[in-house]
Amino acid sequence: MLRAARRRHDRESSGHAAAPGGVAGALADALLTTDWRQGQLLAAVRSVVAGRVPWARRLVAAVRWAYPQAPRDRPRELRQFLTARSLTRRAVIRHRIAAPTQVVRMRWKAPAIGDLGELADFLGLDGDALDWFADRREINRHARDEKLRHYRYAWRPHRLIEAPKPRLLALQRRVLHEILSRVPVHPSVHGFVPGRGTHTFARAHTGQDVLISLDLRAFFTSITAARIYGLFRGIGYPEPVAHALTALTTTRTPAPVLRHAPAPHLAALLRQPHLPQGAPTSPALANLCAYRLDRRLSGLAARFGVTYGRYADDLAFSGTADNDRLIALTTRIVAEEGFRVHPHKTRKRSRSQRQELTGLVVNTRPAVPREEYDRLRATLHNAAVHGLAEANRDGHADFAAHLAGRVAWMSHRHPTRAAKLHKLLARALA
């Protein structure tokens, strides 16, 4: 009973989202219940259309020519194809039959999820809960009561943190670990990738004659729901499942929150469905959506004989090249891929200047700047002499853990600093 109800829910939700509007939708649904042989296709057309159907053979021939295999994962696309056929415009539908969507081919090793019922099972939800978290009715966007929203909002300089509440957070983590982690990212990407990070990003650009760094403006919010949907379709999910997964991992910022936007262009981006900066799925989705950008920029770097890398929204090229030409071509490629280079954050540094990436100086080897190292030593000394509470001038909730993290960060692949800092940390925590 429950399974049948979910199947009905899947068909209704898929049909509503596609808005096929009559004949084309009914015909597409009927055709997808067959084994895709001519006799079965003709029988399906004649079973749902009232009266004589003299154009059935021509329609079936056109469908089989366009789709040698049944597009069971693409009912919308088939409906659009049929809508463009003039043969069906005067047809009258007698009744409707439909079959749930199916996975045709999965790429990589992501779990196969054929319809919304299976997606609900995968997430441990029922159909109504899936609708609620996917926010099909845009309650999150229009709700004035914070309890009805799926996200908590906090403005930072030049960006908005949209943090999912616990239940949606758990669903997004499931999508991240079970689906997105199976899809490979470009080798030049270092941010939010297991086994890579700021140090691997910086190490690739160490000791170069010239370092060029660029910043992508509004990286997460520039990635639209349409691109996320295309990604899930590319993984292999049928249209209704891809739409639901897109809805679970994107959001539209409520109007009351947008009133505090620091710039009109940022408000315009947040008003549309976008990746929320604060969701666990957003970094992985951003990396995957930027795959083509990374591939093109890697090719550009090879053409100029330099090294390319990206950490989140930070782009870097290092080596010896025609710098102005490289920057101009990079800016053009970034724009063609749907992103924008921040006009005031492009930097060129020679070997004689301090070359810095993601907080690390890379002139000789990746290392935290000396002034930051000295500042941490002073803080540790102060904590050892006067106590943690006195030294915690920035009000960290767990100051001991904060200090341990800073020591680990500055000690990475730097044994001399590591020995001194760990000794000071032990005295501070004693």
Side-chain angles (χ1 to χ4, degrees):
M1 292 285 289
L2 178 59
R3 187 67 177 173
R6 284 183 179 169
R7 295 285 188 184
R8 288 195 300 272
H9 167 77
D10 185 5
R11 293 194 294 270
E12 293 166 1
S13 298
S14 174
H16 174 73
V23 176
L27 285 171
D29 289 343
L31 293 174
L32 290 173
T33 64
T34 71
D35 59 5
W36 214 246
R37 289 184 292 186
Q38 182 171 343
Q40 290 284 330
L41 291 168
L42 286 170
V45 172
R46 289 164 178 159
S47 70
V48 298
V49 177
R52 294 178 64 254
V53 194
W55 41 262
R57 289 187 180 276
R58 281 179 289 164
L59 180 70
V60 168
V63 168
R64 294 187 72 198
W65 183 87
Y67 297 97
Q69 304 294 326
R72 303 192 191 282
D73 61 335
R74 293 169 285 161
R76 289 187 180 197
E77 184 181 307
L78 181 58
R79 289 165 190 162
Q80 291 169 355
F81 175 81
L82 293 173
T83 299
R85 307 299 103 180
S86 60
L87 296 173
T88 64
R89 289 178 183 171
R90 296 184 180 181
V92 176
I93 297 301
R94 179 190 298 120
H95 66 90
R96 301 185 66 135
I97 56 175
T101 54
Q102 299 176 16
V103 168
V104 172
R105 181 177 70 92
M106 292 298 298
R107 301 183 66 186
W108 304 289
K109 293 184 179 180
I113 303 172
D115 57 39
L116 294 182
E118 292 181 9
L119 177 61
D121 289 340
F122 171 76
L123 295 172
L125 302 170
D126 60 29
D128 290 338
L130 179 59
D131 275 350
W132 166 251
F133 286 112
D135 198 29
R136 291 180 182 273
R137 300 178 183 177
E138 292 199 329
I139 294 175
N140 179 78
R141 174 168 167 73
H142 297 293
R144 294 184 177 275
D145 188 346
E146 195 274 337
K147 294 180 180 178
L148 296 176
R149 294 177 181 170
H150 295 313
Y151 292 85
R152 294 188 175 93
Y153 302 92
W155 281 103
R156 299 287 186 268
H158 312 299
R159 62 187 174 134
L160 174 66
I161 301 300
E162 299 175 287
K165 292 182 179 178
R167 289 196 66 192
L168 179 58
L169 177 67
L171 298 178
Q172 291 174 340
R173 283 176 174 163
R174 181 78 186 274
V175 172
L176 172 64
H177 296 311
E178 298 295 328
I179 297 176
L180 300 178
S181 65
R182 313 290 178 87
V183 185
V185 300
H186 194 276
S188 298
V189 177
H190 295 265
F192 315 108
V193 179
R196 306 179 206 171
T198 54
H199 283 85
T200 61
F201 176 55
R203 192 158 57 244
H205 302 280
T206 298
Q208 299 294 326
D209 290 338
V210 177
L211 174 67
I212 301 172
S213 59
L214 305 94
D215 182 83
L216 297 180
R217 192 171 191 175
F219 182 48
F220 285 154
T221 49
S222 295
I223 298 176
T224 63
R227 297 180 73 167
I228 302 301
Y229 170 75
L231 172 65
F232 283 121
R233 286 287 294 122
I235 294 173
Y237 290 113
E239 290 169 336
V241 176
H243 273 288
L245 288 170
T246 299
L248 288 170
T249 54
T250 60
T251 187
R252 297 177 67 186
T253 307
V257 179
L258 292 177
R259 294 192 189 107
H260 303 284
H265 78 273
L266 182 57
L269 290 172
L270 293 169
R271 191 173 291 113
Q272 304 302 317
H274 61 273
L275 286 182
Q277 189 163 352
T281 45
S282 292
L285 287 168
N287 278 342
L288 295 174
C289 286
Y291 189 96
R292 178 180 161 91
L293 171 68
D294 295 319
R295 186 177 64 183
R296 293 184 67 185
L297 292 181
S298 292
L300 180 67
R303 172 182 163 189
F304 277 81
V306 299
T307 299
Y308 164 73
R310 179 173 63 80
Y311 186 95
D313 56 359
D314 293 322
L315 310 180
F317 296 89
S318 61
T320 303
D322 180 349
N323 300 333
D324 293 336
R325 178 66 173 159
L326 177 61
I327 292 171
L329 289 173
T330 298
T331 302
R332 190 181 76 184
I333 290 172
V334 166
E336 290 173 353
E337 294 302 320
F339 300 98
R340 289 187 298 169
V341 170
H342 198 296
H344 305 302
K345 293 188 177 182
T346 298
R347 300 286 184 269
K348 295 185 292 183
R349 294 288 184 270
S350 66
R351 189 189 292 269
S352 61
Q353 299 171 297
R354 185 161 88 172
Q355 299 174 335
E356 189 171 343
L357 282 177
T358 57
L360 297 171
V361 177
V362 298
N363 291 70
T364 55
R365 60 173 173 172
V368 174
R370 179 74 193 194
E371 58 269 23
E372 289 191 33
Y373 168 69
D374 291 340
R375 192 178 303 117
L376 178 60
R377 287 186 61 188
T379 300
L380 291 170
H381 175 76
N382 189 27
V385 174
H386 301 288
L388 289 174
E390 179 68 22
N392 187 14
R393 295 177 180 175
D394 293 327
H396 294 284
D398 189 342
F399 191 49
H402 169 75
L403 290 177
R406 294 292 294 166
V407 167
W409 161 255
M410 294 197 186
S411 299
H412 186 79
R413 296 204 172 199
H414 205 306
T416 303
R417 285 186 176 183
K420 294 178 180 178
L421 290 175
H422 279 96
K423 184 177 179 179
L424 288 169
L425 178 64
R427 289 177 54 198
L429 301 181

